[in-house]
Amino acid sequence: QQQVKQSPQSLIVQKGGIPIINCAYENTAFDYFPWYQQFPGKGPALLIAIRPDVSEKKEGRFTISFNKSAKQFSLHIMDSQPGDSATYFCAASRGTGKLIFGQGTELSVKP
Amino acid sequence: ETGVTQSPTHLIKTRGQQVTLRCSSQSGHNTVSWYQQALGQGPQFIFQYYREEENGRGNFPPRFSGLQFPNYSSELNVNALELDDSALYLCASSLASGREQFFGPGTRLTVL
């Protein structure tokens, strides 16, 4: 019940495409859902986060869609660029405690 | 504003040895969490420190221990190293009242 399941494991898109990464959770007590971007050899960087009382949030080219009834949320990257090539992790937490991470999606944006 | 820093960047140890990793939290942040990230996996929560006390622990054995100092910096100690301890160790800082956790660059530990 503590797991967060992420898919796909890897994703290849052309420049300008809209990659979509999906996550599902079981624990309905989770109340904070962030997405992190990680480049090789670096720590994860917080991209965008959402609370369950909101169905969508946009920050620049990044959008989170949240479906509370389905217990799913997804990240969309608009107008993707080669510089967006990285590993993306979804996560969930309850309160200010530990983050439970998904398994990660390796995104490659081709020029 | 200074971000989260960690030292050392890389470390090589042999099985059975002990290691200490260090973390300085982002300016103004009073809570530090430690995570272990195995190759190709998402980070796994080890423990969190607030006001120099452990404030939550993940599924890690007691040989993983930590400290938080009055300036909010923190140490992760691992005793009796095992080969499976080879991983990237990440430190994240946050406000006690906040949800956002900001990660440092990590320490790459290799156990031979």
Side-chain angles (χ1 to χ4, degrees):
Chain A
Q1 214 186 19
Q2 287 293 317
Q3 284 187 326
V4 176
K5 295 184 179 179
Q6 183 173 345
S7 63
Q9 187 173 352
S10 63
L11 191 53
I12 301 174
V13 299
Q14 292 295 125
K15 178 183 173 182
I18 306 176
I20 300 172
I21 305 170
N22 301 297
C23 285
Y25 64 97
E26 290 292 326
N27 189 346
T28 56
F30 288 146
D31 60 2
Y32 175 69
F33 302 87
W35 284 89
Y36 284 84
Q37 178 190 57
Q38 186 175 30
F39 292 103
K42 304 292 184 183
L46 180 62
L47 267 179
I48 185 173
I50 199 167
R51 302 277 186 105
D53 54 346
V54 175
S55 61
E56 185 176 277
K57 183 176 181 180
K58 293 182 180 180
E59 283 187 9
R61 296 185 293 109
F62 300 95
T63 299
I64 300 179
S65 298
F66 189 86
N67 186 331
K68 187 175 181 178
S69 60
K71 293 185 285 186
Q72 295 176 348
F73 57 110
S74 59
L75 176 70
H76 301 228
I77 305 175
M78 306 303 176
D79 187 27
S80 59
Q81 301 296 314
D84 295 329
S85 298
T87 300
Y88 292 81
F89 292 95
C90 62
S93 70
R94 182 180 68 175
T96 57
K98 64 181 178 182
L99 288 168
I100 307 296
F101 283 85
Q103 298 90 331
T105 297
E106 190 174 350
L107 172 65
S108 178
V109 181
K110 300 298 185 184
Chain B
E1 184 177 278
T2 306
V4 180
T5 60
Q6 293 186 241
S7 64
T9 305
H10 296 89
L11 205 50
I12 299 175
K13 292 285 188 179
T14 56
R15 197 170 50 181
Q17 285 189 311
Q18 177 265 342
V19 68
T20 297
L21 310 181
R22 295 177 175 84
C23 170
S24 291
S25 60
Q26 184 168 314
S27 178
H29 285 183
N30 54 15
T31 301
V32 172
S33 303
W34 286 92
Y35 293 81
Q36 180 195 66
Q37 186 177 24
L39 203 60
Q41 302 291 320
Q44 298 286 319
F45 175 76
I46 302 175
F47 42 55
Q48 184 181 82
Y49 276 83
Y50 170 62
R51 290 188 173 179
E52 303 175 51
E53 297 286 332
E54 188 178 287
N55 182 40
R57 187 179 183 93
N59 189 25
F60 281 82
R63 60 190 184 85
F64 285 78
S65 63
L67 285 172
Q68 187 181 32
F69 300 99
N71 66 353
Y72 307 130
S73 66
S74 178
E75 287 184 353
L76 165 65
N77 299 288
V78 187
N79 294 320
L81 284 167
E82 301 178 358
L83 298 179
D84 284 350
D85 295 333
S86 294
L88 181 68
Y89 287 85
L90 296 161
C91 165
S93 76
S94 57
L95 291 170
S97 59
R99 310 301 183 100
E100 297 177 331
Q101 294 189 25
F102 297 92
F103 284 83
T107 294
R108 172 70 63 187
L109 173 65
T110 302
V111 182
L112 303 176

